[in-house]
Amino acid sequence: MLQQLFEHRRERCHGLEVFNSEAFFWSFPHFLINNFLKMAENGNGNVATENGLAKIQTQKALNGICHDDSGPTVKAKTIDELHSLQTKKSAPSTPNTGISSPFASLSEQERQQLQLQSISASLASLTRETGPKVVKGDPAKSQSQKVEHVHHVHVAPTIAVSDSALKFTHVLYNLSPAELYEQAIKYEKGSFVTSNGALATLSGAKTGRSPRDKRVVKDDVTESELWWGKGSPNIEMDEETFLVNRERAVDYLNSLDKVFVNDQFLNWDPENRIKVRIVSARAYHSLFMHNMCIRPSPEELENFGTPDFTIYNAGKFPCNRFTHYMTSSTSIDLNLARREMVILGTQYAGEMKKGLFSVMHYLMPKRQILSLHSGCNMGKDGDVALFFGLSGTGKTTLSTDHNRYLIGDDEHCWSENGVSNIEGGCYAKCIDLSREKEPDIWNAIRFGTVLENVVFDEHTREVDYSDKSVTENTRAAYPIEYIPNAKLPCVGPHPKNVILLACDAFGVLPPVSKLNLAQTMYHFISGYTALVAGTEDGIKEPQATFSACFGAAFIMLHPTKYAAMLAEKMESHGATGWLVNTGWSGGSYGTGNRIKLSYTRKIIDAIHNGSLLKAEYKKSKIFGLETPTAVEGVPSEILDPVNAWTDKHAYNETLLKLAGLFRKNFETFTNYTIGKGGDNLTEEILAAGPIF
C-alpha cells in the first residue's frame, strides 16, 4: 500500500522524488497516516487500490513542476531592492489653488535645489561665509542609495577650510511622525513607544524652561521698543555675544552627520501667518515642533521659500560660560533684527514653543494685532470667548467644553479678521492625568503624541501619570485635531466675552464680577492668582502670584501696551470683561472651601448664553467689583464673599491684605506712558484698582 502511495506521488510530480523512504513517510503524525489509510473510493472516479487507499487524481503541472499554491516571486534581486519596493514617494494631497507663486514654473529638481540652497544658507557660518554641503536623507541609508540633490553655498572663504566643510550634512526634512519615531527609537536613548502609541522621551537635565538664561539682543531699535528693567522678562545681551553663540550652535549642528529641519507656520490667519524654520539635532524636537506648529500641506511646503524666523536648537551642546552675559551652560538667545533664535545647553522642547510665542508678542503688535496667552472657544452660534488664567485656575478645563468648539488652548491673535490660534497643537500637563477628569487629553495621547519625562511600566509600557520620579512637569504635545471638537481651521469671529480667571486662595474675591474697560485692563495687567504655600510649622498660608498679561515670561513690550490694545478691541467689537474666581469661598485656604467646579461651570454657561448680562448687580467695597445678586444653579450666599464668611472681621482683614498686595504689585507699572494720552490712560487704570 505504501509503495503504491509513493508511486502515485511520483506520477503526480512527473518523476520528481518527493518521498525518499518509508521511514520519512512514517515520520508524519499518526492522525495523517490514519487519514491516508482510511481513504477509499469516493464515487467521483477515484480508483481505490486493493488495500482500500484511493488513488488521488490531480491536474498536470506545467513544465514538469510539482503543483503548489504559492504566488509569483518578487521582482527584486537583492534584499535592498526588496526594501526599496516597500515604500513609495509621497504625492501632494492638497489641490492646486491656482494662485501663482515664484516656484510655480519650476521643475521638481529645481525646487529641491532651491530648498537645499535655503537650508544651506540657514546653516552658513558667519565667519567662514559658507554653508555646509547638504543632502536630503538619512545617512544610514545613503550608502546604498544614489545622492540626487546636493547643495553647497560657496563664497570664497576668508579663512582656511574646516573639516566640517569637507563632509555632507544630511538633512531630514519635515519627516512624518512615523519616520521620526524610527529615528528617535533607533538613535535616542530614553525613547520608547508606550502602550497607547505615544512616543515617550526624556528632555535631559532640564525638565522645564530656564527663564534666567533667556537673553534678548538690545540694539538701537529694541532699546526703545521693548520692556527692560524691573519686572521685565527681557534680559539683555549684545549683538556680538549673540553671534558667538550662534556660531557655536551652527558649528555643532554642522559637525553632525544629520540634522532635522522643520519648515512650518505660525498663526492660522492666512493674511498674518509667519514662516518658521527649526533646525535641531533630535528627532524628539522635530516631532514636538511638527505637532505644535501649523503643518504645511505638500503644496505649501514646495512653495515655502525663505523662512521669516529660524531656530537653531543645539540641544545638549552647552554655551561657553566664559562668554559675556552667560551665567550658566544654558542660553536661549533671541535676535529680533536677524529673526533668529539660538538654544544651547537645554533639551527641554518647551523653550522652542515659548521662544516663538515671545517672537509673536513682538511681531504681531507691529501689525496692530494683539497676541494673547489665552484659551479660546466658540459656541455653535459663533460667539467666541477668551480665557486668561495662570496655572491652577482652570483655564484648560473651562475652555475645553464639549458644547463648544475649541479654537485653541494657549496662544492666540486678535486682528481685524477676528481671533486665530497661533499654534497647530496642544501642550498639556500630564501629572495625575485621568480618563475621568480630562477625557479629551487622555484620548489625544496616541500615535504621534510626544510624552515628555513620564514614567511607564518596563514590560507593558503603560504610563503612570501620577509618578513624579523624573519631574512633576510631565507633558503631552499633540496636534489640535486630536481633540474631537477642535475647530479647523482654528479661527473665529471677534470675541464676545473676555474671561479673566483667578484662583483666589484668600477667599475674598467674588465667584464672578462684571468688569468695565478700565477694570479689565487693571486685572489683565495684574494677572493675579494665589497658590498655596508649603506647610511651615503646621500653618498653611496662601501666596499671591502676579504675572503681567497672564504671561509675563513671554511678553516683549510693556504690559500696558497690550492692555491698551485689548481695551481698544473690546470697545470696538462690544466684548464684555469678566473676573471669575475659581478659588476659595467662606474663608482662606485651610478654613474655607474650594468653589465647586459645577458652580463655576454654571457661571461660565451664564456668561456664554448672555443671561448674566441681564442680572442685577451690586458693587463690592475696596475692589469696586460689580457682582450679580443671582446666578441660576449657584447658591446666592456665595456670590457676595462676605456672606460666606462667619468671621466678618477676619474677612475684612484678609480683603485689605489682598488689596495691599495688588497695589504693591502695580507700582511697577505706574510710571509708564502709553502713546498719545498715555498719562490719562494710566490714571484711569490706576483708578480701577482697589481703593482703601
Side-chain angles (χ1 to χ4, degrees):
M1 180 188 68
L2 293 176
Q3 185 62 35
Q4 291 171 340
L5 178 60
F6 288 145
E7 291 299 328
H8 168 67
R9 294 297 292 161
R10 288 192 187 97
E11 178 183 330
R12 180 169 177 251
C13 295
H14 291 263
L16 293 177
E17 285 291 339
V18 178
F19 301 115
N20 295 322
S21 68
E22 293 187 20
F24 178 75
F25 177 81
W26 286 109
S27 69
F28 284 104
H30 289 171
F31 78 90
L32 290 177
I33 298 173
N34 290 336
N35 286 342
F36 279 124
L37 295 177
K38 290 178 182 178
M39 292 176 63
E41 185 173 358
N42 57 17
N44 294 325
N46 288 344
V47 180
T49 66
E50 59 183 354
N51 292 325
L53 183 63
K55 187 173 182 179
I56 303 172
Q57 302 296 324
T58 62
Q59 294 182 349
K60 299 286 185 179
L62 298 175
N63 302 323
I65 304 299
C66 183
H67 170 76
D68 65 40
D69 296 323
S70 64
T73 58
V74 296
K75 298 177 182 178
K77 295 181 180 179
T78 66
I79 191 65
D80 287 339
E81 245 186 283
L82 178 60
H83 288 167
S84 71
L85 296 175
Q86 191 178 19
T87 58
K88 63 181 181 179
K89 187 175 181 180
S90 299
S93 57
T94 304
N96 197 312
T97 59
I99 300 173
S100 61
S101 73
F103 303 95
S105 60
L106 298 179
S107 67
E108 175 65 19
Q109 185 170 2
E110 288 171 328
R111 280 198 187 96
Q112 292 280 356
Q113 289 289 355
L114 285 175
Q115 200 173 68
L116 289 173
Q117 180 182 353
S118 175
I119 294 171
S120 181
S122 291
L123 286 167
S125 165
L126 298 176
T127 55
R128 285 185 289 275
E129 301 176 353
T130 180
K133 299 183 182 74
V134 292
V135 57
K136 275 193 176 181
D138 187 345
K141 297 179 181 179
S142 64
Q143 300 301 321
S144 59
Q145 294 178 351
K146 182 181 177 182
V147 175
E148 297 182 353
H149 302 294
V150 181
H151 191 83
H152 183 207
V153 173
H154 180 74
V155 179
T158 56
I159 60 175
V161 69
S162 67
D163 287 340
S164 63
L166 299 176
K167 60 178 277 296
F168 286 118
T169 298
H170 288 77
V171 175
L172 301 182
Y173 183 72
N174 275 54
L175 296 190
S176 67
E179 292 171 306
L180 291 168
Y181 266 55
E182 293 166 2
Q183 291 287 327
I185 292 168
K186 187 173 183 180
Y187 299 110
E188 297 177 11
K189 191 173 182 179
S191 297
F192 298 88
V193 179
T194 61
S195 60
N196 50 26
L199 179 69
T201 65
L202 292 172
S203 65
K206 303 282 187 177
T207 58
R209 291 183 299 103
S210 303
R212 295 180 180 178
D213 295 312
K214 182 181 175 183
R215 300 288 183 270
V216 181
V217 173
K218 190 174 186 179
D219 54 29
D220 293 340
V221 176
T222 58
E223 183 176 10
S224 59
E225 288 185 337
L226 301 192
W227 178 27
W228 305 100
K230 183 180 178 182
S232 169
N234 303 316
I235 305 173
E236 69 177 274
M237 74 185 310
D238 58 31
E239 173 85 6
E240 182 179 355
T241 303
F242 174 85
L243 294 178
V244 168
N245 282 354
R246 181 194 185 278
E247 193 77 353
R248 189 171 174 87
V250 167
D251 281 349
Y252 169 72
L253 291 167
N254 286 338
S255 73
L256 303 175
D257 288 334
K258 62 186 177 187
V259 294
F260 298 89
V261 177
N262 292 44
D263 280 349
Q264 296 182 254
F265 299 116
L266 296 178
N267 197 353
W268 282 84
D269 179 357
E271 294 182 16
N272 295 293
R273 72 181 183 183
I274 302 296
K275 297 187 294 183
V276 294
R277 171 169 293 164
I278 304 100
V279 185
S280 58
R282 290 192 62 180
Y284 146 50
H285 291 152
S286 185
L287 180 57
F288 177 91
M289 294 307 282
H290 169 88
N291 290 347
M292 295 310 303
C293 294
I294 299 168
R295 294 157 289 284
S297 68
E299 184 184 51
E300 289 171 330
L301 201 57
E302 287 177 357
N303 301 329
F304 192 83
T306 303
D308 299 314
F309 199 89
T310 303
I311 293 179
Y312 301 98
N313 188 351
K316 63 183 179 181
F317 192 73
C319 66
N320 185 339
R321 296 187 66 171
F322 288 98
T323 306
H324 193 38
Y325 296 103
M326 299 299 102
T327 54
S328 75
S329 60
T330 298
S331 191
I332 303 98
D333 308 327
L334 279 176
N335 189 323
L336 297 171
R338 290 184 59 87
R339 304 289 179 94
E340 291 178 340
M341 176 180 177
V342 171
I343 298 175
L344 291 162
T346 175
Q347 298 181 77
Y348 182 66
E351 295 287 9
M352 294 182 288
K353 165 188 160 67
K354 291 304 186 184
L356 288 176
F357 190 31
S358 294
V359 171
M360 294 297 280
H361 270 311
Y362 174 73
L363 295 178
M364 291 298 101
K366 283 180 168 292
R367 303 184 185 185
Q368 300 306 307
I369 297 171
L370 177 59
S371 49
L372 301 165
H373 188 213
S374 69
C376 183
N377 65 25
M378 184 179 80
K380 295 177 181 178
D381 295 329
D383 59 296
V384 169
L386 293 173
F387 292 81
F388 295 89
L390 302 179
S391 178
T393 60
K395 181 183 71 171
T396 301
T397 301
L398 295 172
S399 61
T400 306
D401 187 332
H402 291 287
N403 296 316
R404 297 172 66 83
Y405 300 109
L406 179 68
I407 293 177
D409 74 329
D410 195 43
E411 303 175 9
H412 294 88
C413 286
W414 188 351
S415 70
E416 287 305 308
N417 300 324
V419 292
S420 57
N421 191 348
I422 290 175
E423 302 179 296
C426 303
Y427 193 35
K429 291 183 178 179
C430 290
I431 194 65
D432 295 326
L433 179 68
S434 68
R435 189 195 299 270
E436 295 73 28
K437 291 181 180 179
E438 300 286 354
D440 285 343
I441 297 175
W442 180 277
N443 293 327
I445 299 176
R446 50 191 171 96
F447 180 82
T449 298
V450 175
L451 277 176
E452 282 183 334
N453 301 317
V454 299
V455 177
F456 51 85
D457 185 277
E458 64 179 356
H459 176 59
T460 66
R461 297 294 195 264
E462 290 185 6
V463 180
D464 181 358
Y465 294 107
S466 64
D467 196 315
K468 306 174 185 177
S469 297
V470 179
T471 178
E472 189 171 339
N473 188 33
T474 53
R475 295 270 184 165
Y478 48 85
I480 193 167
E481 56 264 31
Y482 282 16
I483 298 296
N485 61 329
K487 183 184 181 302
L488 297 172
C490 301
V491 295
H494 296 287
K496 182 179 177 181
N497 292 293
V498 174
I499 301 171
L500 312 181
L501 301 170
C503 178
D504 177 29
F506 291 94
V508 295
L509 290 182
V512 60
S513 308
K514 185 173 66 172
L515 306 175
N516 58 36
L517 285 179
Q519 288 175 323
T520 301
M521 285 191 286
Y522 181 88
H523 288 279
F524 176 71
I525 292 171
S526 297
Y528 164 72
T529 194
L531 306 176
V532 178
T535 302
E536 184 177 347
D537 296 330
I539 300 174
K540 295 180 180 180
E541 183 177 330
Q543 179 180 344
T545 299
F546 297 93
S547 183
C549 307
F550 293 93
F554 321 119
I555 61 177
M556 303 294 284
L557 312 179
H558 195 275
T560 51
K561 292 192 175 183
Y562 299 105
M565 290 184 70
L566 177 62
E568 186 274 327
K569 291 186 179 297
M570 288 178 65
E571 186 173 31
S572 296
H573 302 290
T576 304
W578 305 89
L579 180 64
V580 175
N581 174 23
T582 62
W584 271 255
S585 176
S588 299
Y589 177 86
T591 58
N593 298 303
R594 185 80 186 257
I595 297 172
K596 291 182 179 180
L597 178 59
S598 59
Y599 295 162
T600 303
R601 287 196 184 278
K602 289 289 185 182
I603 290 170
I604 298 297
D605 288 343
I607 291 174
H608 289 324
N609 63 35
S611 62
L612 205 53
L613 281 174
K614 303 173 185 177
E616 292 185 6
Y617 288 85
K618 64 178 183 179
K619 183 175 287 189
S620 67
K621 63 178 184 179
I622 306 298
F623 279 91
L625 299 171
E626 296 283 342
T627 60
T629 57
V631 178
E632 185 179 353
V634 180
S636 58
E637 59 269 20
I638 73 168
L639 294 176
D640 187 347
V642 68
N643 294 335
W645 282 62
T646 54
D647 189 339
K648 308 302 182 186
H649 179 70
Y651 166 79
N652 288 325
E653 283 189 341
T654 307
L655 181 62
L656 289 171
K657 178 180 179 180
L658 181 60
L661 293 173
F662 265 86
R663 180 174 290 183
K664 182 178 180 181
N665 171 71
F666 217 84
E667 290 174 358
T668 306
F669 316 117
T670 54
N671 298 319
Y672 197 88
T673 301
I674 317 170
K676 295 180 180 179
D679 291 333
N680 295 332
L681 182 57
T682 304
E683 292 174 5
E684 184 181 357
I685 296 173
L686 283 171
I691 299 173
F692 58 101

